[in-house]
Amino acid sequence: MLVAAAIAAVVGEHRAAGFARQPILRRFQQQAVGKTRRRSAYDHAAIEERWQTYWEEHETYKAVRREDRAKKYVLDMFPYPSGSGLHVGHPAGYTASDVMARYWRARGFDVLHPMGWDAFGLPAEQHAIQTGTHPRETTKANIENFKRQLKALGFSYDWARELATTDVDYVKWTQWIFLRLFEKGLAEQREVAVNWCPALGTVLANEEVIDGKSERGGFPVERQPLRQWVLKITEYADALLAGLDGLDWPSGTLRSQREWIGRSEGATVLFDRADGGGSIEVFTTRPDTLAGATYVVLAPEHPMAHELCEDTDALETYLEEVRSKSDLERQTAAKTGLPTGSLAVHPLSGETLPIWIADYVVGGYGTGAVMAVPAHDERDYAFATAFDLPVKAVVDAGSTTSELPVVDPGVCVNSGEALDGLETEACKRKVVELLEASGKGGAKVTYKLRDWIFSRQRYWGEPIPIYFPVCGLDGSPLETDPRDGRETDDFIVRYDQPIPVDDADLPLELPEMDDFRPGDDPRGCLARAADWRFFERDGTWFARETNTMPQWAGSCWYYLRFADPSNEAAAIAPEADRAWLPVDLYVGGAEHAVLHLLYARFWHKVLYDLGVVESSEPFAKLVHQGMILGADGEKMSKSRGNVVNPDDVVDKAGADALRLYEMFMGPLEAVKPWQTDQVAGVVRFRDKCYAVSSRAADVECDRETLVALHKTMRKVTQDIEQLGFNTAISALMVFVNRLASLDEVPRLAVDRLAVMLSPFAPHLAEEIWSTLLANEPSVSHQPWVVFDPDLCVDETVTVAVQVNGKVRAKLDLAPDESEDAARHAALAEPAVAKFADGKEIKKFIYVPGRIINLVLAK
């Protein structure tokens, strides 16, 4: 009676929640494979195609906001559509986000789960140069292939919101945001020493230069000053740092962001030149070590380098060597340098110190000069050792270490009566006080973060919506057509007078060109598009900016446009922003832990200050999926020959098998090797689910099956909430094995199984729900399973019994067994009694459901 009552209650709740039996649509009855209760082998190709067609025709995953619902915005870091398409490593993150999108829909949330394309980029342009195919055509074909592959995997994207950063209407709003940055004074031109690659015709980031050559193609790279657009991200350094507090992000990513911003409290110090020609300013985070400075180092780019160096020929030779190195190489490679022959005056002691030029000091960082304290700085120590420069220890770190350099804090020594004996922090404050009193420096906060070089000298990018006046060589109005002349020979472009394109004239589109080769002109190939570049207005000639935006630009704000993709009047309307933002779950690779996230957060905070968005941070929760390696344990790449195409897996085993395998391989964030032969295991599981479900009958659940069902529902629910997808699938496997062992499979268990399967294997779940169980499509519209906590409680649990700390027996007790009953049962156990009989029990420790410990007198 008790079992029957429990079943009746559960079935009643089941039907009330929307699981009631419904006749399937006639069309799906006709299309279903087989018509008997016992089905033939699972035809994954036909089933997956049928359900993908159904979802598309019925707009099953269309994102709609309802007033009475909470929302979840689930977003993947959108891909660059390369010519090689997806490999099996890519769908790991997409599958994880899809699991959560499907789960949250079932939990009653309004879900926005979009997909688009980070479509500008150098690879398409390089392909255009090599083949003559316009980047637009290459990009379009690549997007079509990527989209086909993603659709084949059954992801529940709202494809009506699809966008590409190359779309004209998207470019319009990217340019609009740039103009807002320009208006706020956050976008300006500077002459910057950059990594210029003539062969690629563009500026490269430090991370894109290896051993003086471009990472892509291995072309020579040289350092040279170029006019660049720069975004002043440093003005948002404090806001970017403070905004990290409270974000649900991986700790390593938060640390990387903080380290990249690199807030440092320290002091500026002025070293007067001995020749009376001014002062050299340095910044240090360790002013307590000032007395240990034994020389001063200037970056090769420092404005005083030429006037201080006595051997100008040697300086030019050294500068030529430095130009072939990236900033990263300069700071990590073997130390090189050049003595200037000039001296600086120590601000505390008055001693004269030699001034050197060295490439480990970079002009774009800080003041471009450092006070060298080799006893307490690793780079300074390496340089001093290489060039036999003096080393003076001024910090006693006690027993921490005796080897130089000593970088740990300690007690100041060898620094004069005013400083000796002070702890590091107290010494810092005292040195700053002395510097301020003498006018030789003071306290200062600096950042490692550098302003963002925003220009790219290539074709395939967003045009920067700025133009400049063109005048004659003498500054007078130009009377001739500049398209017939040559810049600097026949006319001057007044780059010092930038003019923003009017909002009404956006978007500024790229010109049609046949030759995308960059050439050796740092102004880029757009400088050759004279008819596009030059235009006349009211008798005055103007020249458009020929630099384009970096690929980062489009990816800085795409998450906003997904919320309002068809808006022609604004980048995003306030109501769309309030409806969907911020992103609740952002999934992508850890390789984007710094730059993409930092740049997107910067743009978002600017838009927040402008009142365009209401949230101060764009991504509330961030998850990095682990990389899936090749079978050889190496990163998948064509050169290694270890790439596995998901198309091959889908063709042979099906999309659900690929999804299940990738989520079952291990924890989401773990790095895992792909093993094709292991896919067969999840195929067997999928087929067993189908076979077991085809046996569903209107029979009651026995008590053991009912308890197993509710425990499985609890386990799967809790694991999905924690992104523990591998353990959730494992629980489903155990439960299906239980059902397979039954002579008759209860329908109740099968339709709950279908709902639990739907986030992981949606095609299988649909087939079970609609075809085998004859319910109304689609399982995607069904509410999530609800478990009964009372049915999830174990009737007995195994409790270890210890005697003086050693396990002597194990008992099966009720989870809430009383202490008296537990004591009686323990002492009645023969293995315990032989130790306890006749002994005084000094202490009886009982933790219900976990352990019993008897402490006996000796």
Side-chain angles (χ1 to χ4, degrees):
M1 291 293 292
L2 289 175
V3 173
I7 293 172
V10 172
V11 171
E13 170 233 321
H14 166 76
R15 288 180 174 160
F19 289 86
R21 229 171 150 176
Q22 297 288 339
I24 191 168
L25 296 178
R26 183 177 300 277
R27 182 165 65 88
F28 271 77
Q29 289 176 326
Q30 295 171 346
Q31 292 179 342
V33 180
K35 295 183 180 179
T36 65
R37 295 295 290 163
R38 293 186 178 273
R39 304 287 165 171
S40 58
Y42 186 83
D43 185 351
H44 69 79
I47 289 170
E48 290 173 358
E49 180 181 4
R50 179 165 69 252
W51 285 107
Q52 287 167 18
T53 300
Y54 175 90
W55 296 331
E56 185 168 351
E57 289 179 353
H58 291 78
E59 297 183 326
T60 303
Y61 306 118
K62 183 181 179 66
V64 178
R65 283 297 278 124
R66 291 163 287 188
E67 290 184 3
D68 60 336
R69 300 291 184 96
K71 64 87 180 178
K72 291 290 185 180
Y73 185 173
V74 184
L75 182 64
D76 297 301
M77 292 185 183
F78 67 169
Y80 172 75
S82 66
S84 55
L86 296 173
H87 62 63
V88 292
H90 294 118
Y94 304 151
T95 304
S97 66
D98 196 59
V99 169
M100 296 309 301
R102 290 175 178 276
Y103 169 72
W104 277 325
R105 287 192 194 96
R107 292 300 301 265
F109 291 94
D110 289 340
V111 173
L112 172 57
H113 189 36
M115 176 51 73
W117 318 103
D118 191 9
F120 278 121
L122 191 56
E125 184 165 326
Q126 286 298 107
H127 183 75
I129 293 170
Q130 294 163 4
T131 66
T133 306
H134 197 288
R136 184 189 305 111
E137 300 305 316
T138 302
T139 301
K140 180 181 178 182
N142 292 348
I143 287 174
E144 289 174 355
N145 184 47
F146 263 66
K147 186 174 181 179
R148 175 193 61 79
Q149 290 183 296
L150 292 178
K151 282 194 168 186
L153 291 169
F155 295 131
S156 61
Y157 296 127
D158 180 354
W159 285 108
R161 295 173 182 262
E162 177 188 10
L163 59 82
T165 54
T166 51
D167 293 343
V168 173
D169 57 345
Y170 188 87
V171 169
K172 170 184 177 178
W173 296 108
T174 303
Q175 292 173 335
W176 180 87
I177 295 172
F178 176 87
L179 292 178
R180 304 293 81 77
L181 291 163
F182 179 76
E183 290 172 356
K184 273 182 70 74
L186 295 171
E188 67 179 22
Q189 299 171 90
R190 297 179 196 164
E191 188 173 89
V192 180
V194 296
N195 303 312
W196 168 249
C197 180
L200 294 177
T202 194
V203 170
L204 300 177
N206 290 329
E207 294 79 8
E208 298 172 312
V209 181
I210 301 174
D211 296 328
K213 295 182 179 179
S214 63
E215 182 181 30
R216 180 178 178 83
F219 300 113
V221 175
E222 59 190 48
R223 296 284 290 180
Q224 66 170 266
L226 284 181
R227 180 185 64 85
Q228 298 283 286
W229 281 96
V230 173
L231 299 189
K232 297 160 73 173
I233 189 174
T234 52
E235 293 199 8
Y236 275 74
D238 280 329
L240 290 168
L241 199 58
L244 295 171
D245 296 335
L247 294 181
D248 186 4
W249 286 19
S251 59
T253 301
L254 291 171
R255 182 172 59 253
S256 295
Q257 291 266 309
R258 291 188 174 103
E259 289 175 351
W260 194 269
I261 296 168
R263 187 180 190 275
S264 299
E265 294 184 5
T268 55
V269 185
L270 298 178
F271 286 80
D272 291 338
R273 288 167 46 172
D275 62 3
S279 300
I280 299 170
E281 180 181 341
V282 305
F283 172 81
T284 177
T285 59
R286 292 292 302 273
D288 59 301
T289 65
L290 177 55
T294 58
Y295 59 99
V296 174
V297 186
L298 304 184
E301 304 89 351
H302 196 283
M304 291 187 184
H306 280 84
E307 60 184 279
L308 287 172
C309 191
E310 296 176 351
D311 189 341
T312 55
D313 291 339
L315 177 61
E316 289 301 324
T317 301
Y318 184 64
L319 291 176
E320 190 63 31
E321 294 175 4
V322 172
R323 287 191 186 101
S324 64
K325 300 178 183 179
S326 70
D327 290 352
L328 191 61
E329 289 177 295
R330 287 169 56 172
Q331 296 179 75
T332 57
K335 301 296 181 283
T336 67
L338 180 72
T340 65
S342 299
L343 300 172
V345 179
H346 195 289
L348 293 185
S349 68
E351 298 175 274
T352 55
L353 308 178
I355 301 173
W356 283 70
I357 294 172
D359 62 356
Y360 78 92
V361 180
V362 179
Y365 293 82
T367 64
V370 301
M371 65 176 209
V373 186
H376 306 292
D377 181 272
E378 293 177 357
R379 293 187 306 160
D380 294 342
Y381 184 77
F383 190 85
T385 302
F387 291 96
D388 196 27
L389 293 166
V391 177
K392 179 183 178 182
V394 294
V395 177
D396 182 358
S399 61
T400 304
T401 180
S402 58
E403 295 183 4
L404 294 177
V406 175
V407 297
D408 294 332
V411 177
C412 185
V413 296
N414 302 325
S415 300
E417 183 177 349
L419 302 175
D420 286 349
L422 294 176
E423 299 280 346
T424 292
E425 292 304 316
C427 189
K428 288 180 180 180
R429 293 191 293 271
K430 184 62 177 179
V431 170
V432 168
E433 180 184 315
L434 294 172
L435 290 171
E436 290 176 342
S438 62
K440 299 299 182 184
K444 186 176 183 179
V445 174
T446 65
Y447 298 88
K448 181 181 175 183
L449 180 67
R450 294 290 160 255
D451 283 335
W452 177 8
I453 297 176
F454 198 68
S455 298
R456 294 296 183 269
Q457 295 69 38
R458 61 178 185 234
Y459 174 78
W460 195 231
E462 300 94 338
I464 294 176
I466 296 290
Y467 59 99
F468 310 92
V470 180
C471 64
L473 298 178
D474 59 357
S476 61
L478 186 67
E479 297 181 357
T480 59
D481 190 334
R483 293 172 294 184
D484 299 328
R486 183 179 179 84
E487 187 174 346
T488 70
D489 290 342
D490 303 306
F491 58 86
I492 297 173
V493 176
R494 296 301 304 268
Y495 294 112
D496 59 332
Q497 299 177 19
I499 305 169
V501 172
D502 191 273
D503 286 355
D505 294 329
L506 297 177
L508 173 60
E509 297 186 53
L510 288 167
E512 292 297 322
M513 297 183 70
D514 297 321
D515 182 6
F516 309 104
R517 290 174 300 174
D520 57 1
D521 188 344
R523 290 172 299 182
C525 68
L526 290 181
R528 299 197 301 270
D531 289 339
W532 174 86
R533 185 188 183 198
F534 297 104
F535 64 96
E536 189 178 17
R537 180 181 295 165
D538 299 328
T540 301
W541 282 98
F542 298 94
R544 289 191 172 94
E545 175 60 74
T546 58
N547 285 311
T548 54
M549 299 186 197
Q551 188 174 359
W552 300 109
S555 64
C556 276
W557 74 283
Y558 71 108
Y559 61 92
L560 293 176
R561 192 62 177 175
F562 277 139
D564 200 8
S566 302
N567 194 329
E568 297 180 359
I572 180 173
E575 54 270 24
D577 172 58
R578 286 191 294 271
W580 292 114
L581 271 294
V583 175
D584 296 285
L585 177 62
Y586 196 28
V587 180
E591 65 272 19
H592 301 295
V594 177
L595 294 182
H596 159 62
L597 292 170
L598 195 65
Y599 293 157
R601 293 179 62 230
F602 167 49
W603 276 36
H604 190 90
K605 287 185 177 298
V606 173
L607 294 174
Y608 173 74
D609 287 346
L610 291 171
V612 176
V613 296
E614 293 186 2
S615 58
S616 61
E617 286 287 339
F619 313 119
K621 181 178 179 64
L622 173 70
V623 173
H624 297 311
Q625 79 276 10
M627 183 179 294
I628 293 182
L629 306 176
D632 56 1
E634 300 291 336
K635 183 178 179 180
M636 287 191 183
S637 70
K638 285 185 177 179
S639 61
R640 293 191 181 97
N642 62 355
V643 172
V644 179
N645 190 324
D647 292 352
D648 298 333
V649 181
V650 171
D651 288 345
K652 184 176 180 180
D656 283 344
L658 177 60
R659 292 170 61 113
L660 285 165
Y661 176 60
E662 296 216 347
M663 294 299 95
F664 188 61
M665 291 173 75
L668 177 61
E669 68 278 3
V671 176
K672 305 167 282 282
W674 175 271
Q675 301 291 339
T676 298
D677 57 351
Q678 293 182 5
V679 176
V682 295
V683 170
R684 287 192 294 271
F685 167 62
R686 179 200 65 196
D687 292 349
K688 181 180 283 190
C689 289
Y690 183 72
V692 165
S693 299
S694 70
R695 295 168 47 213
D698 288 321
V699 297
E700 292 184 346
C701 282
D702 61 84
R703 174 72 182 183
E704 191 174 347
T705 300
L706 189 66
V707 169
L709 170 61
H710 280 262
K711 285 185 176 179
T712 303
M713 292 192 294
R714 179 184 64 176
K715 174 68 173 170
V716 172
T717 300
Q718 293 175 347
D719 286 353
I720 290 178
E721 288 282 355
Q722 299 299 319
L723 307 184
F725 305 134
N726 58 322
T727 53
I729 293 171
S730 179
L732 289 170
M733 290 177 171
V734 172
F735 181 62
V736 170
N737 286 338
R738 165 72 190 170
L739 295 183
S741 70
L742 301 176
D743 292 332
E744 292 183 300
V745 180
R747 174 190 172 84
L748 171 64
V750 172
D751 63 18
R752 297 293 170 98
L753 172 65
V755 174
M756 288 188 285
L757 282 170
S758 61
F760 305 103
H763 310 87
L764 171 64
E766 292 281 22
E767 194 69 6
I768 293 171
W769 180 264
S770 299
T771 304
L772 299 186
L773 297 180
N775 287 322
E776 187 79 16
S778 150
V779 73
S780 298
H781 297 316
Q782 303 310 311
W784 188 248
V785 296
V786 179
F787 61 86
D788 183 346
D790 292 337
L791 289 172
C792 297
V793 177
D794 292 323
E795 293 185 356
T796 63
V797 293
T798 300
V799 177
V801 182
Q802 296 181 342
V803 178
N804 288 341
K806 292 186 178 181
V807 176
R808 299 300 183 183
K810 292 183 179 180
L811 299 173
D812 289 332
L813 302 174
D816 57 351
E817 192 71 77
S818 69
E819 183 172 330
D820 286 344
R823 183 186 184 107
H824 183 271
L827 292 174
E829 184 68 25
V832 175
K834 73 177 183 179
F835 292 100
D837 285 350
K839 299 283 185 69
E840 177 190 356
I841 301 176
K842 298 186 68 174
K843 186 180 292 186
F844 181 82
I845 302 170
Y846 173 51
V847 180
R850 297 181 61 187
I851 196 169
I852 295 172
N853 191 4
L854 285 78
V855 181
L856 306 180
K858 294 183 179 179

